[in-house]
Amino acid sequence: RLSDGAVLENVIIGDPAADGIHCYGSCTLKNVWWERVGEDAATFRGAKDSDVMLIDGGGASGAKDKVFQNNLVGTMIIKNFYFEHFGKLYRSCGNCSRQTARTVILENITAVVGKKSSCLVGINENYGDVAIFRGINQIYAAEKPKVPACQKFIGNAKGLEPKKSSVGADGKYCFYDDTTLIWHLCDPNLR
């Protein structure tokens, strides 16, 4: 549990990682590695819109569902990070009791798409969530991308499973192009 203003740096979290790190307020994770993600690698619980969770460097493997999740408010910035064997890189909570607009910024990440990967990011368009890819983000997949970079959902505050809406860059909720999100074909054994 990280309190507002905390910094966690140069840590390897072993297998299994249980419920991961919870950040209350603004916090920084610098060069943190997860051998195998448990429930989530880290959950952001910002207290106000201006709170920021910065994840700079590090990597994570083995997330059956999401690696990072924002359950309250604020902006999550994920940069210079390596992902493999994941369901989603990031998810804005789709059915938390408190819903609001959340932002995620992914910058210079590397991700290896696997068999369980469903999307890179999942956001709630009905609450005004925003996903921005900046810099050069390298995505490796065994076949032409079938996994959407940005999956939009219709979230709710009732604990119900959110419904999928649309996918892709749209200039309103999801921001990326061929210079900020680069797909590569790779050896299927990497999956």
Side-chain angles (χ1 to χ4, degrees):
R1 180 179 173 136
L2 300 180
S3 297
D4 188 39
V7 176
L8 182 64
E9 189 170 8
N10 299 326
V11 173
I12 297 172
I13 298 174
D15 176 9
D19 198 30
I21 296 167
H22 287 246
C23 171
Y24 292 80
S26 290
C27 69
T28 299
L29 306 181
K30 194 164 181 62
N31 195 33
V32 176
W33 293 82
W34 286 262
E35 286 184 345
R36 183 172 60 86
V37 173
E39 174 65 22
D40 303 318
T43 301
F44 183 30
R45 299 176 178 277
K48 54 191 181 300
D49 289 340
S50 60
D51 282 343
V52 173
M53 181 175 188
L54 172 63
I55 299 139
D56 189 358
S61 182
K64 291 180 181 169
D65 188 13
K66 55 220 164 303
V67 179
F68 297 115
Q69 176 155 310
N70 188 343
N71 280 358
L72 288 174
V73 299
T75 298
M76 185 179 283
I77 301 170
I78 307 163
K79 58 193 279 189
N80 309 314
F81 199 87
Y82 175 80
F83 299 88
E84 67 178 17
H85 308 294
F86 60 89
K88 300 172 189 73
L89 306 181
Y90 165 89
R91 179 68 170 102
S92 174
C93 184
N95 56 12
C96 288
S97 59
R98 180 178 173 197
Q99 293 287 19
T100 186
R102 304 175 181 112
T103 299
V104 62
I105 298 169
L106 296 102
E107 183 174 351
N108 301 328
I109 63 151
T110 300
V112 180
V113 172
K115 293 176 185 173
K116 297 187 188 275
S117 299
S118 61
C119 65
L120 300 184
V121 299
I123 61 170
N124 305 310
E125 68 177 327
N126 57 319
Y127 294 118
D129 289 350
V130 173
I132 302 166
F133 288 83
R134 291 196 309 216
I136 299 173
N137 299 279
Q138 309 278 347
I139 313 301
Y140 294 86
E143 51 192 327
K144 198 159 175 130
K146 293 183 178 178
V147 173
C150 189
Q151 174 68 62
K152 288 162 260 183
F153 292 87
I154 303 301
N156 66 80
K158 299 176 182 177
L160 304 172
E161 192 62 31
K163 291 184 171 41
K164 290 181 180 179
S165 55
S166 61
V167 298
D170 57 16
K172 184 173 182 182
Y173 304 110
C174 294
F175 297 85
Y176 62 88
D177 59 30
D178 291 341
T179 64
T180 58
L181 192 61
I182 302 169
W183 291 84
H184 304 275
L185 292 179
C186 66
D187 184 339
N189 294 322
L190 289 175
R191 301 174 68 186

